[in-house]
Coordinates of all heavy atoms in Angstrom, one line a residue:
Chain B
M1 N -13.1 16.2 -9.7 CA -12.1 17.2 -9.3 C -10.8 16.5 -8.8 O -10.9 15.5 -8.1 CB -12.7 18.1 -8.2 CG -11.9 19.4 -8.0 SD -12.4 20.3 -6.5 CE -11.7 19.2 -5.2
E2 N -9.8 17.0 -9.3 CA -8.5 16.5 -8.9 C -8.2 16.6 -7.4 O -8.3 17.7 -6.9 CB -7.4 17.2 -9.7 CG -6.0 16.5 -9.8 CD -6.0 15.4 -10.8 OE1 -7.0 15.0 -11.4 OE2 -4.9 15.0 -11.2
R3 N -7.8 15.6 -6.8 CA -7.4 15.7 -5.4 C -5.9 15.6 -5.3 O -5.2 15.1 -6.2 CB -8.1 14.5 -4.6 CG -9.6 14.7 -4.4 CD -10.2 13.6 -3.6 NE -11.5 13.9 -3.1 CZ -12.1 13.4 -2.1 NH1 -11.5 12.4 -1.4 NH2 -13.3 13.7 -1.7
H5 N -3.8 14.0 -3.4 CA -3.0 12.8 -2.9 C -2.7 11.8 -4.0 O -1.9 10.9 -3.7 CB -4.0 12.1 -1.9 CG -5.1 11.4 -2.6 ND1 -6.1 12.2 -3.2 CD2 -5.4 10.1 -2.9 CE1 -7.0 11.3 -3.8 NE2 -6.5 10.1 -3.6
D6 N -3.3 12.0 -5.1 CA -3.2 10.9 -6.2 C -2.0 11.1 -7.0 O -2.0 11.6 -8.1 CB -4.5 11.0 -7.0 CG -4.8 9.8 -7.9 OD1 -3.9 8.9 -7.9 OD2 -5.8 9.7 -8.5
G8 N 0.5 8.8 -8.1 CA 1.2 7.8 -9.0 C 1.4 8.3 -10.4 O 0.5 8.8 -11.0
G9 N 2.7 8.3 -10.8 CA 3.0 8.6 -12.2 C 3.1 10.1 -12.5 O 3.3 10.5 -13.6
K10 N 2.8 10.9 -11.5 CA 2.8 12.4 -11.7 C 4.2 12.9 -12.0 O 5.2 12.5 -11.3 CB 2.3 13.1 -10.4 CG 0.8 13.0 -10.2 CD 0.0 14.1 -11.0 CE -1.5 14.1 -10.7 NZ -2.2 12.8 -10.9
G44 N -14.4 3.2 16.4 CA -15.4 3.3 15.4 C -15.9 4.8 15.2 O -17.0 5.0 14.7
R45 N -15.1 5.7 15.7 CA -15.5 7.1 15.5 C -15.6 7.5 14.0 O -16.4 8.3 13.6 CB -14.5 8.0 16.3 CG -14.9 9.5 16.4 CD -16.1 9.7 17.3 NE -16.5 11.0 17.3 CZ -17.1 11.7 16.3 NH1 -17.3 11.0 15.2 NH2 -17.5 12.9 16.4
Y46 N -14.7 6.9 13.3 CA -14.7 7.1 11.8 C -14.0 5.9 11.2 O -13.3 5.1 11.9 CB -14.1 8.4 11.3 CG -12.7 8.7 11.9 CD1 -11.6 8.0 11.5 CD2 -12.6 9.7 12.9 CE1 -10.3 8.3 12.0 CE2 -11.3 10.0 13.4 CZ -10.2 9.3 13.0 OH -9.0 9.6 13.5
T47 N -14.2 5.6 9.9 CA -13.5 4.5 9.2 C -12.2 5.0 8.6 O -12.0 6.2 8.4 CB -14.4 3.9 8.1 OG1 -14.6 4.9 7.1 CG2 -15.8 3.5 8.6
D49 N -11.4 4.8 5.6 CA -11.7 5.5 4.4 C -12.2 6.9 4.6 O -11.9 7.8 3.8 CB -12.7 4.7 3.5 CG -12.1 3.5 2.9 OD1 -11.2 3.7 2.0 OD2 -12.4 2.4 3.2
E50 N -12.9 7.1 5.7 CA -13.3 8.5 6.0 C -12.1 9.3 6.4 O -12.0 10.5 6.1 CB -14.3 8.5 7.2 CG -15.7 8.0 6.8 CD -16.6 7.8 8.0 OE1 -16.5 6.8 8.6 OE2 -17.4 8.7 8.3
R52 N -9.0 8.8 5.3 CA -8.3 9.1 4.0 C -9.0 10.2 3.3 O -8.3 11.1 2.7 CB -8.2 7.8 3.2 CG -7.3 6.7 3.7 CD -7.5 5.5 2.9 NE -6.6 4.4 3.3 CZ -6.9 3.1 3.1 NH1 -8.1 2.7 2.6 NH2 -6.1 2.2 3.5
D53 N -10.3 10.1 3.2 CA -11.1 11.1 2.5 C -10.8 12.5 3.1 O -10.7 13.5 2.4 CB -12.6 10.8 2.6 CG -13.4 11.7 1.8 OD1 -13.2 11.8 0.6 OD2 -14.4 12.2 2.3
E56 N -7.6 13.7 1.8 CA -7.6 14.0 0.4 C -8.4 15.4 0.2 O -8.2 16.0 -0.9 CB -8.3 12.9 -0.3 CG -7.6 11.6 -0.3 CD -8.4 10.4 -0.7 OE1 -9.5 10.6 -1.3 OE2 -8.0 9.3 -0.5
Chain C
E19 N -15.9 10.7 -8.6 CA -16.0 11.8 -7.7 C -15.7 11.3 -6.2 O -16.0 10.2 -5.9 CB -17.5 12.3 -7.7 CG -17.8 13.3 -8.8 CD -16.9 14.5 -8.7 OE1 -16.8 15.2 -7.6 OE2 -16.2 14.8 -9.7
G20 N -15.1 12.2 -5.5 CA -14.9 11.9 -4.1 C -13.8 10.9 -3.8 O -12.9 10.7 -4.7
H21 N -13.8 10.3 -2.7 CA -12.8 9.3 -2.3 C -12.9 8.0 -3.2 O -14.0 7.5 -3.3 CB -12.9 8.9 -0.8 CG -12.0 7.8 -0.4 ND1 -10.6 8.0 -0.2 CD2 -12.2 6.5 -0.2 CE1 -10.1 6.9 0.2 NE2 -11.0 5.9 0.2
T22 N -11.8 7.6 -3.7 CA -11.8 6.3 -4.5 C -10.4 5.7 -4.4 O -9.5 6.4 -4.1 CB -12.2 6.6 -6.0 OG1 -12.3 5.3 -6.6 CG2 -11.2 7.4 -6.7
R23 N -10.3 4.4 -4.6 CA -9.0 3.8 -4.6 C -8.6 3.3 -6.0 O -7.8 2.5 -6.1 CB -9.1 2.6 -3.6 CG -9.4 3.0 -2.2 CD -8.4 3.9 -1.5 NE -7.2 3.1 -1.2 CZ -6.1 3.7 -0.6 NH1 -6.1 5.0 -0.4 NH2 -5.0 3.0 -0.3
L24 N -9.2 4.0 -7.0 CA -8.7 3.8 -8.4 C -7.8 5.0 -8.7 O -8.2 6.1 -8.9 CB -9.9 3.8 -9.4 CG -9.5 3.7 -10.8 CD1 -8.6 2.5 -11.2 CD2 -10.7 3.8 -11.7
P25 N -6.5 4.7 -8.7 CA -5.5 5.8 -9.0 C -5.7 6.4 -10.4 O -6.0 5.6 -11.3 CB -4.1 5.2 -8.8 CG -4.4 3.8 -8.2 CD -5.8 3.4 -8.6
A26 N -5.5 7.7 -10.6 CA -5.7 8.3 -11.9 C -4.7 7.7 -12.9 O -5.2 7.6 -14.1 CB -5.4 9.8 -11.7
Y27 N -3.5 7.3 -12.6 CA -2.6 6.9 -13.6 C -3.0 5.5 -14.2 O -2.5 5.1 -15.3 CB -1.2 6.8 -13.1 CG -0.9 5.6 -12.2 CD1 -0.3 4.4 -12.7 CD2 -1.2 5.6 -10.8 CE1 -0.1 3.3 -11.8 CE2 -1.0 4.5 -10.0 CZ -0.4 3.4 -10.5 OH -0.1 2.3 -9.7
R29 N -6.4 4.9 -14.9 CA -7.7 5.1 -15.6 C -7.6 4.8 -17.1 O -6.7 5.4 -17.7 CB -8.2 6.5 -15.3 CG -8.6 6.7 -13.8 CD -9.6 7.8 -13.7 NE -9.1 9.1 -14.1 CZ -8.9 10.1 -13.2 NH1 -9.1 9.9 -11.9 NH2 -8.4 11.2 -13.7
A45 N -14.7 1.0 -1.0 CA -14.0 2.1 -0.3 C -14.8 3.4 -0.5 O -14.9 4.3 0.4 CB -12.6 2.2 -0.7
D46 N -15.2 3.7 -1.7 CA -15.9 4.9 -2.1 C -17.1 5.2 -1.2 O -17.3 6.3 -0.7 CB -16.3 4.9 -3.5 CG -15.2 4.5 -4.5 OD1 -14.5 3.5 -4.2 OD2 -15.1 5.2 -5.5
R48 N -17.7 3.5 1.8 CA -17.3 3.5 3.2 C -16.8 4.9 3.6 O -16.9 5.4 4.7 CB -16.2 2.5 3.4 CG -16.4 1.6 4.6 CD -15.4 0.5 4.7 NE -14.3 0.6 3.8 CZ -13.4 -0.3 3.6 NH1 -13.4 -1.4 4.3 NH2 -12.3 -0.1 2.8
A49 N -16.2 5.6 2.7 CA -15.6 6.9 2.9 C -16.8 8.0 3.2 O -16.5 9.0 3.7 CB -14.8 7.4 1.8
R50 N -18.0 7.6 2.7 CA -19.1 8.5 2.9 C -19.8 8.2 4.2 O -20.9 8.7 4.4 CB -20.1 8.4 1.7 CG -19.4 9.0 0.4 CD -20.5 9.4 -0.6 NE -21.4 8.3 -1.0 CZ -21.1 7.5 -2.1 NH1 -20.0 7.7 -2.8 NH2 -21.9 6.6 -2.5
G51 N -19.2 7.3 5.0 CA -19.8 7.0 6.3 C -20.9 6.0 6.2 O -21.6 5.8 7.2
R53 N -22.4 2.7 6.7 CA -22.0 1.5 7.4 C -22.4 0.2 6.7 O -21.9 -0.9 6.9 CB -22.7 1.4 8.8 CG -22.4 2.7 9.7 CD -20.9 2.7 10.1 NE -20.5 4.2 10.2 CZ -19.4 4.6 10.7 NH1 -18.4 3.7 11.1 NH2 -19.1 5.9 10.8

Side-chain angles (χ1 to χ4, degrees):
Chain B
M1 199 192 69
E2 196 85 341
R3 289 183 164 200
H5 70 291
D6 194 353
K10 288 274 186 304
R45 188 68 186 71
Y46 48 76
T47 65
D49 285 294
E50 288 172 278
R52 288 172 178 152
D53 186 52
E56 295 165 12
Chain C
E19 275 302 306
H21 175 77
T22 185
R23 300 296 286 179
L24 173 60
Y27 76 97
R29 291 203 299 248
D46 310 44
R48 229 172 12 185
R50 295 202 296 269
R53 304 292 149 172

